[in-house]
Amino acid sequence: MKLIGPADYRDFACIQGACQHSCCQGWEIDIDDASLRRYRAMKGSLGQRLQASIAAEDGSAHFRLTEDERCPFLNGDGLCDIILTEGEGALCQICADHPRYRHFYTGVTEVGLGLCCEAAARQTLTRQEPLSIVTLEDDGEAAGLTPEENALLTLRAELLALAQDRTKPLALRADRLLARCGLPLPRGAMADWAAFLLTLERLEEAWTARLLALRDQPPGRGLGPRWDIPLEQVLSALLCRHLPGALEDGDIAGRVLLTVQGYRLIAAMFAQAGADGIDTLVDIARQFSAEIEYSEENLGAFLDALDEGGVP
Ligand code: SF4
Protein backbone atom coordinates (compact mmCIF):
# COMPACT_ATOMS: atom_id res chain seq x y z
CA MET A 1 0.00 0.00 0.00
CA LYS A 2 1.22 3.45 -0.91
CA LEU A 3 0.27 6.68 0.81
CA ILE A 4 0.52 9.77 -1.38
CA GLY A 5 -0.25 13.42 -0.63
CA PRO A 6 1.10 16.97 -0.63
CA ALA A 7 4.81 17.13 0.21
CA ASP A 8 4.06 19.35 3.23
CA TYR A 9 1.11 17.25 4.44
CA ARG A 10 2.83 16.25 7.66
CA ASP A 11 3.62 19.87 8.56
CA PHE A 12 -0.02 20.42 9.48
CA ALA A 13 -0.78 21.04 13.13
CA CYS A 14 -4.07 22.11 14.68
CA ILE A 15 -3.70 25.51 16.36
CA GLN A 16 -6.24 24.48 19.02
CA GLY A 17 -7.14 27.34 21.38
CA ALA A 18 -5.85 29.95 18.89
CA CYS A 19 -8.34 28.81 16.24
CA GLN A 20 -10.98 31.44 15.50
CA HIS A 21 -13.28 29.12 13.55
CA SER A 22 -13.00 25.89 15.45
CA CYS A 23 -14.27 22.75 13.78
CA CYS A 24 -15.67 21.87 17.22
CA GLN A 25 -18.35 24.53 16.76
CA GLY A 26 -21.27 24.77 14.36
CA TRP A 27 -20.96 21.26 12.85
CA GLU A 28 -22.62 18.04 13.84
CA ILE A 29 -19.87 15.64 14.96
CA ASP A 30 -20.64 12.05 14.01
CA ILE A 31 -19.26 9.25 16.18
CA ASP A 32 -18.02 6.10 14.44
CA ASP A 33 -19.10 2.69 15.75
CA ALA A 34 -15.76 1.72 17.35
CA SER A 35 -15.53 5.04 19.23
CA LEU A 36 -19.16 4.76 20.28
CA ARG A 37 -18.47 1.39 21.87
CA ARG A 38 -15.41 2.82 23.67
CA TYR A 39 -17.29 5.88 24.88
CA ARG A 40 -20.18 3.79 26.16
CA ALA A 41 -17.76 1.59 28.11
CA MET A 42 -15.70 4.44 29.54
CA LYS A 43 -15.83 4.86 33.33
CA GLY A 44 -15.26 7.90 35.54
CA SER A 45 -16.46 11.47 35.14
CA LEU A 46 -15.40 11.68 31.48
CA GLY A 47 -17.30 8.48 30.79
CA GLN A 48 -20.40 9.93 32.44
CA ARG A 49 -20.07 13.17 30.44
CA LEU A 50 -19.61 11.25 27.22
CA GLN A 51 -22.59 9.03 27.81
CA ALA A 52 -24.76 12.05 28.65
CA SER A 53 -23.62 13.91 25.51
CA ILE A 54 -24.20 11.25 22.86
CA ALA A 55 -27.38 11.35 20.80
CA ALA A 56 -28.03 8.14 18.90
CA GLU A 57 -30.78 7.74 16.34
CA ASP A 58 -31.38 5.70 13.17
CA GLY A 59 -28.21 3.68 13.70
CA SER A 60 -25.91 6.72 13.85
CA ALA A 61 -24.58 8.70 16.79
CA HIS A 62 -23.27 12.22 17.30
CA PHE A 63 -22.41 14.61 20.10
CA ARG A 64 -25.33 16.73 21.26
CA LEU A 65 -24.15 20.31 20.71
CA THR A 66 -24.67 23.03 23.31
CA GLU A 67 -27.13 25.86 22.73
CA ASP A 68 -24.45 27.94 21.06
CA GLU A 69 -23.64 24.95 18.84
CA ARG A 70 -20.34 24.02 20.49
CA CYS A 71 -19.13 20.49 21.01
CA PRO A 72 -19.83 19.78 24.70
CA PHE A 73 -16.14 18.88 25.14
CA LEU A 74 -14.77 22.16 23.77
CA ASN A 75 -13.80 24.03 26.92
CA GLY A 76 -13.59 27.77 27.55
CA ASP A 77 -9.92 27.85 26.51
CA GLY A 78 -10.78 26.39 23.12
CA LEU A 79 -9.27 23.02 24.07
CA CYS A 80 -10.78 19.55 23.93
CA ASP A 81 -11.56 17.94 27.30
CA ILE A 82 -11.36 14.46 25.75
CA ILE A 83 -7.76 15.08 24.62
CA LEU A 84 -6.86 16.76 27.92
CA THR A 85 -8.19 13.81 29.92
CA GLU A 86 -7.44 10.77 27.75
CA GLY A 87 -5.06 11.98 25.02
CA GLU A 88 -5.55 12.30 21.24
CA GLY A 89 -5.95 8.54 20.89
CA ALA A 90 -9.36 8.80 22.55
CA LEU A 91 -10.82 10.99 19.79
CA CYS A 92 -13.47 9.57 17.50
CA GLN A 93 -12.47 9.09 13.86
CA ILE A 94 -13.88 12.33 12.47
CA CYS A 95 -12.17 14.46 15.13
CA ALA A 96 -8.85 12.62 14.71
CA ASP A 97 -9.01 13.04 10.91
CA HIS A 98 -10.25 16.59 10.46
CA PRO A 99 -9.25 18.49 8.29
CA ARG A 100 -7.57 15.61 6.49
CA TYR A 101 -9.40 13.90 3.66
CA ARG A 102 -8.66 10.68 1.78
CA HIS A 103 -9.14 9.28 -1.70
CA PHE A 104 -8.85 5.53 -2.14
CA TYR A 105 -7.43 3.94 -5.29
CA THR A 106 -6.33 0.35 -5.84
CA GLY A 107 -3.30 -0.12 -3.59
CA VAL A 108 -2.91 3.63 -3.07
CA THR A 109 -4.46 6.00 -0.55
CA GLU A 110 -4.20 9.73 -1.18
CA VAL A 111 -4.43 12.22 1.67
CA GLY A 112 -4.91 15.97 1.63
CA LEU A 113 -5.87 18.90 3.84
CA GLY A 114 -9.31 20.51 3.59
CA LEU A 115 -9.34 24.29 3.25
CA CYS A 116 -12.24 24.66 5.71
CA CYS A 117 -9.70 24.58 8.56
CA GLU A 118 -8.03 27.96 8.96
CA ALA A 119 -4.63 26.43 9.82
CA ALA A 120 -4.76 24.13 6.79
CA ALA A 121 -5.91 26.99 4.54
CA ARG A 122 -3.05 29.18 5.77
CA GLN A 123 -0.51 26.42 5.27
CA THR A 124 -1.83 25.81 1.74
CA LEU A 125 -2.11 29.43 0.60
CA THR A 126 1.25 30.55 1.99
CA ARG A 127 3.17 27.69 0.35
CA GLN A 128 5.60 29.22 -2.15
CA GLU A 129 6.54 26.08 -4.08
CA PRO A 130 3.97 24.53 -6.41
CA LEU A 131 1.83 21.89 -4.71
CA SER A 132 3.43 18.52 -5.38
CA ILE A 133 1.89 15.14 -4.67
CA VAL A 134 4.60 12.81 -3.37
CA THR A 135 4.83 9.33 -1.89
CA LEU A 136 4.59 9.68 1.89
CA GLU A 137 4.71 5.95 2.71
CA ASP A 138 5.41 2.86 0.64
CA ASP A 139 5.43 -0.70 1.91
CA GLY A 140 6.92 -1.99 -1.36
CA GLU A 141 3.72 -3.67 -2.61
CA ALA A 142 2.91 -2.91 -6.26
CA ALA A 143 0.11 -0.32 -6.46
CA GLY A 144 -1.90 -1.91 -9.28
CA LEU A 145 -4.01 1.11 -10.24
CA THR A 146 -6.91 0.32 -12.56
CA PRO A 147 -6.74 1.83 -16.08
CA GLU A 148 -9.46 4.34 -15.05
CA GLU A 149 -7.53 5.41 -11.96
CA ASN A 150 -4.33 5.67 -13.95
CA ALA A 151 -6.00 7.78 -16.65
CA LEU A 152 -7.58 10.12 -14.12
CA LEU A 153 -4.38 10.65 -12.14
CA THR A 154 -2.46 11.23 -15.38
CA LEU A 155 -5.03 13.83 -16.45
CA ARG A 156 -4.83 15.47 -13.03
CA ALA A 157 -1.05 15.67 -13.23
CA GLU A 158 -1.37 17.32 -16.64
CA LEU A 159 -3.96 19.83 -15.37
CA LEU A 160 -1.86 20.52 -12.28
CA ALA A 161 1.13 21.29 -14.51
CA LEU A 162 -1.02 23.75 -16.51
CA ALA A 163 -2.24 25.39 -13.28
CA GLN A 164 1.34 25.71 -12.05
CA ASP A 165 2.91 27.10 -15.24
CA ARG A 166 4.29 30.26 -13.68
CA THR A 167 5.41 31.65 -17.04
CA LYS A 168 1.74 32.60 -17.61
CA PRO A 169 -0.74 34.80 -15.69
CA LEU A 170 -2.97 32.72 -13.44
CA ALA A 171 -6.25 33.68 -15.13
CA LEU A 172 -4.83 32.38 -18.42
CA ARG A 173 -3.77 29.14 -16.73
CA ALA A 174 -7.31 28.62 -15.47
CA ASP A 175 -8.62 29.20 -19.01
CA ARG A 176 -6.16 26.59 -20.29
CA LEU A 177 -7.49 24.04 -17.80
CA LEU A 178 -10.95 24.50 -19.29
CA ALA A 179 -9.63 24.47 -22.86
CA ARG A 180 -7.71 21.22 -22.23
CA CYS A 181 -11.02 19.60 -21.26
CA GLY A 182 -12.99 21.29 -24.06
CA LEU A 183 -15.08 23.29 -21.58
CA PRO A 184 -16.44 26.84 -21.94
CA LEU A 185 -16.21 29.42 -19.18
CA PRO A 186 -19.33 29.07 -16.96
CA ARG A 187 -22.07 31.53 -17.90
CA GLY A 188 -22.82 34.43 -15.55
CA ALA A 189 -20.91 37.35 -14.07
CA MET A 190 -19.49 36.95 -10.57
CA ALA A 191 -22.33 39.15 -9.25
CA ASP A 192 -24.79 36.60 -10.68
CA TRP A 193 -22.90 33.74 -9.03
CA ALA A 194 -23.01 35.60 -5.73
CA ALA A 195 -26.78 36.02 -6.14
CA PHE A 196 -27.07 32.30 -6.84
CA LEU A 197 -25.02 31.35 -3.76
CA LEU A 198 -27.26 33.60 -1.66
CA THR A 199 -30.12 31.22 -2.47
CA LEU A 200 -28.26 28.34 -0.79
CA GLU A 201 -28.05 27.54 2.89
CA ARG A 202 -25.33 29.57 4.63
CA LEU A 203 -23.49 29.10 7.93
CA GLU A 204 -21.60 32.32 8.62
CA GLU A 205 -22.95 35.84 8.51
CA ALA A 206 -19.57 36.98 7.24
CA TRP A 207 -19.98 34.72 4.18
CA THR A 208 -23.41 36.21 3.52
CA ALA A 209 -21.92 39.70 3.80
CA ARG A 210 -19.21 38.83 1.27
CA LEU A 211 -21.79 37.45 -1.16
CA LEU A 212 -23.97 40.55 -0.80
CA ALA A 213 -20.97 42.78 -1.41
CA LEU A 214 -19.97 40.80 -4.51
CA ARG A 215 -23.55 40.85 -5.82
CA ASP A 216 -24.08 44.57 -5.24
CA GLN A 217 -20.60 45.99 -5.79
CA PRO A 218 -18.61 43.61 -7.98
CA PRO A 219 -14.94 44.60 -8.30
CA GLY A 220 -14.13 46.76 -11.31
CA ARG A 221 -10.79 45.09 -11.97
CA GLY A 222 -8.94 41.88 -11.31
CA LEU A 223 -6.00 41.20 -9.03
CA GLY A 224 -2.38 41.89 -9.84
CA PRO A 225 0.27 39.16 -10.29
CA ARG A 226 1.19 39.53 -6.61
CA TRP A 227 -1.64 37.17 -5.73
CA ASP A 228 -0.94 34.55 -8.39
CA ILE A 229 0.97 32.18 -6.08
CA PRO A 230 -1.63 31.94 -3.26
CA LEU A 231 -4.44 31.68 -5.81
CA GLU A 232 -2.48 29.05 -7.74
CA GLN A 233 -2.45 27.09 -4.48
CA VAL A 234 -6.25 27.42 -4.30
CA LEU A 235 -6.60 26.18 -7.88
CA SER A 236 -4.21 23.28 -7.22
CA ALA A 237 -5.86 22.32 -3.93
CA LEU A 238 -9.37 22.30 -5.46
CA LEU A 239 -8.14 20.20 -8.40
CA CYS A 240 -6.48 17.62 -6.14
CA ARG A 241 -9.46 17.43 -3.86
CA HIS A 242 -12.25 17.22 -6.42
CA LEU A 243 -11.07 15.56 -9.61
CA PRO A 244 -10.78 12.05 -8.06
CA GLY A 245 -14.53 12.21 -7.32
CA ALA A 246 -15.01 11.63 -11.07
CA LEU A 247 -13.95 8.02 -10.52
CA GLU A 248 -17.31 7.53 -8.82
CA ASP A 249 -19.63 9.39 -11.17
CA GLY A 250 -17.57 9.96 -14.33
CA ASP A 251 -18.19 13.74 -14.15
CA ILE A 252 -14.71 15.02 -15.02
CA ALA A 253 -16.15 18.14 -16.66
CA GLY A 254 -18.14 19.11 -13.56
CA ARG A 255 -15.11 18.80 -11.32
CA VAL A 256 -12.81 20.80 -13.58
CA LEU A 257 -15.49 23.49 -13.77
CA LEU A 258 -15.86 23.39 -9.98
CA THR A 259 -12.12 23.85 -9.59
CA VAL A 260 -11.93 26.81 -11.96
CA GLN A 261 -15.15 28.48 -10.82
CA GLY A 262 -14.22 28.01 -7.17
CA TYR A 263 -10.90 29.74 -7.77
CA ARG A 264 -12.58 32.54 -9.80
CA LEU A 265 -15.15 33.13 -7.09
CA ILE A 266 -12.54 33.27 -4.33
CA ALA A 267 -10.41 35.65 -6.43
CA ALA A 268 -13.42 37.91 -7.17
CA MET A 269 -14.42 38.04 -3.50
CA PHE A 270 -10.86 38.90 -2.57
CA ALA A 271 -10.72 41.67 -5.20
CA GLN A 272 -14.07 42.97 -3.93
CA ALA A 273 -12.66 43.06 -0.39
CA GLY A 274 -9.82 45.28 -1.64
CA ALA A 275 -7.16 42.52 -1.80
CA ASP A 276 -5.95 43.82 1.53
CA GLY A 277 -3.74 40.93 2.61
CA ILE A 278 -3.21 37.20 2.88
CA ASP A 279 -5.36 36.96 6.03
CA THR A 280 -8.43 38.02 4.05
CA LEU A 281 -7.64 35.59 1.24
CA VAL A 282 -7.16 32.71 3.69
CA ASP A 283 -10.47 33.59 5.31
CA ILE A 284 -12.35 33.67 1.99
CA ALA A 285 -10.87 30.30 0.94
CA ARG A 286 -11.81 28.84 4.33
CA GLN A 287 -15.35 30.17 4.02
CA PHE A 288 -15.78 28.85 0.47
CA SER A 289 -14.64 25.45 1.65
CA ALA A 290 -16.87 25.38 4.74
CA GLU A 291 -19.93 26.76 2.95
CA ILE A 292 -19.68 24.91 -0.36
CA GLU A 293 -17.14 22.08 -0.34
CA TYR A 294 -18.17 20.69 3.02
CA SER A 295 -21.92 20.96 2.44
CA GLU A 296 -23.16 18.03 0.37
CA GLU A 297 -26.29 19.97 -0.55
CA ASN A 298 -24.51 23.19 -1.56
CA LEU A 299 -21.77 21.35 -3.42
CA GLY A 300 -24.46 19.46 -5.34
CA ALA A 301 -26.27 22.72 -6.22
CA PHE A 302 -22.98 24.35 -7.30
CA LEU A 303 -22.15 21.36 -9.53
CA ASP A 304 -25.67 21.32 -10.98
CA ALA A 305 -25.38 25.00 -11.92
CA LEU A 306 -22.02 24.32 -13.58
CA ASP A 307 -23.38 21.28 -15.41
CA GLU A 308 -26.15 23.53 -16.79
CA GLY A 309 -23.53 25.90 -18.16
CA GLY A 310 -23.73 28.56 -15.47
CA VAL A 311 -26.27 30.86 -13.82
CA PRO A 312 -28.85 33.08 -15.57
S1 SF4 B 1 -10.48 24.13 12.37
FE1 SF4 B 1 -8.36 23.33 12.17
S2 SF4 B 1 -7.09 24.62 13.51
FE2 SF4 B 1 -9.24 24.94 14.08
S3 SF4 B 1 -9.65 23.50 15.78
FE3 SF4 B 1 -10.25 22.45 13.87
S4 SF4 B 1 -8.42 21.32 13.16
FE4 SF4 B 1 -7.75 22.83 14.71
Side-chain angles (χ1 to χ4, degrees), residues 38 46 80-91:
R38 268 192 296 117
L46 182 65
C80 171
D81 282 342
I82 298 177
I83 296 181
L84 292 176
T85 313
E86 290 285 325
E88 289 199 16
L91 290 176

Side-chain angles (χ1 to χ4, degrees), residues 115-193:
L115 296 177
C116 73
C117 157
E118 64 188 58
R122 184 170 299 281
Q123 177 175 320
T124 301
L125 270 65
T126 56
R127 184 198 295 121
Q128 293 302 303
E129 321 74 59
L131 166 64
S132 76
I133 301 295
V134 300
T135 300
L136 299 167
E137 286 173 24
D138 188 351
D139 65 4
E141 291 275 316
L145 294 177
T146 65
E148 293 76 23
E149 291 167 343
N150 216 354
L152 191 97
L153 291 180
T154 302
L155 173 65
R156 191 181 66 176
E158 191 190 329
L159 296 177
L160 199 54
L162 289 176
Q164 295 173 335
D165 177 1
R166 293 185 179 177
T167 65
K168 303 199 166 43
L170 187 60
L172 178 60
R173 294 183 236 165
D175 289 348
R176 293 180 80 207
L177 250 66
L178 295 179
R180 165 62 184 82
C181 298
L183 296 166
L185 204 59
R187 192 178 55 241
M190 280 300 145
D192 302 323
W193 277 89

Side-chain angles (χ1 to χ4, degrees), residues 28 30-31 33 36 40 55-62:
E28 188 164 285
D30 290 332
I31 306 170
D33 291 346
L36 184 62
R40 284 190 164 147
E57 58 205 25
D58 301 332
S60 66
H62 59 266

Side-chain angles (χ1 to χ4, degrees), residues 4-220:
I4 62 172
D8 59 356
Y9 173 76
R10 294 220 160 96
D11 295 345
F12 173 76
C14 169
I15 53 174
Q16 301 181 9
C19 182
Q20 293 178 51
H21 303 91
S22 171
C23 53
C24 313
Q25 191 162 7
W27 309 75
E28 188 164 285
I29 302 164
D30 290 332
I31 306 170
D32 55 288
D33 291 346
S35 302
L36 184 62
R37 283 194 294 278
R38 268 192 296 117
Y39 292 164
R40 284 190 164 147
M42 204 176 273
K43 306 271 186 259
S45 62
L46 182 65
Q48 281 173 10
R49 275 181 71 194
L50 279 163
Q51 286 136 33
S53 306
I54 292 170
E57 58 205 25
D58 301 332
S60 66
H62 59 266
F63 288 123
R64 209 174 277 120
L65 300 184
T66 62
E67 260 179 30
D68 52 355
E69 303 228 304
R70 291 165 65 90
C71 171
F73 296 94
L74 179 64
N75 68 27
D77 297 326
L79 300 174
C80 171
D81 282 342
I82 298 177
I83 296 181
L84 292 176
T85 313
E86 290 285 325
E88 289 199 16
L91 290 176
C92 60
Q93 195 64 45
I94 206 167
C95 293
D97 278 353
H98 189 83
R100 300 162 188 87
Y101 67 82
R102 291 185 179 82
H103 295 306
F104 298 100
Y105 316 113
T106 311
V108 179
T109 299
E110 177 175 348
V111 286
L113 297 172
L115 296 177
C116 73
C117 157
E118 64 188 58
R122 184 170 299 281
Q123 177 175 320
T124 301
L125 270 65
T126 56
R127 184 198 295 121
Q128 293 302 303
E129 321 74 59
L131 166 64
S132 76
I133 301 295
V134 300
T135 300
L136 299 167
E137 286 173 24
D138 188 351
D139 65 4
E141 291 275 316
L145 294 177
T146 65
E148 293 76 23
E149 291 167 343
N150 216 354
L152 191 97
L153 291 180
T154 302
L155 173 65
R156 191 181 66 176
E158 191 190 329
L159 296 177
L160 199 54
L162 289 176
Q164 295 173 335
D165 177 1
R166 293 185 179 177
T167 65
K168 303 199 166 43
L170 187 60
L172 178 60
R173 294 183 236 165
D175 289 348
R176 293 180 80 207
L177 250 66
L178 295 179
R180 165 62 184 82
C181 298
L183 296 166
L185 204 59
R187 192 178 55 241
M190 280 300 145
D192 302 323
W193 277 89
F196 163 68
L197 294 179
L198 280 163
T199 66
L200 306 183
E201 191 184 6
R202 281 157 278 120
L203 296 170
E204 276 183 44
E205 283 176 19
W207 172 247
T208 301
R210 287 198 196 285
L211 290 174
L212 287 169
L214 187 60
R215 185 193 66 183
D216 298 338
Q217 299 166 310

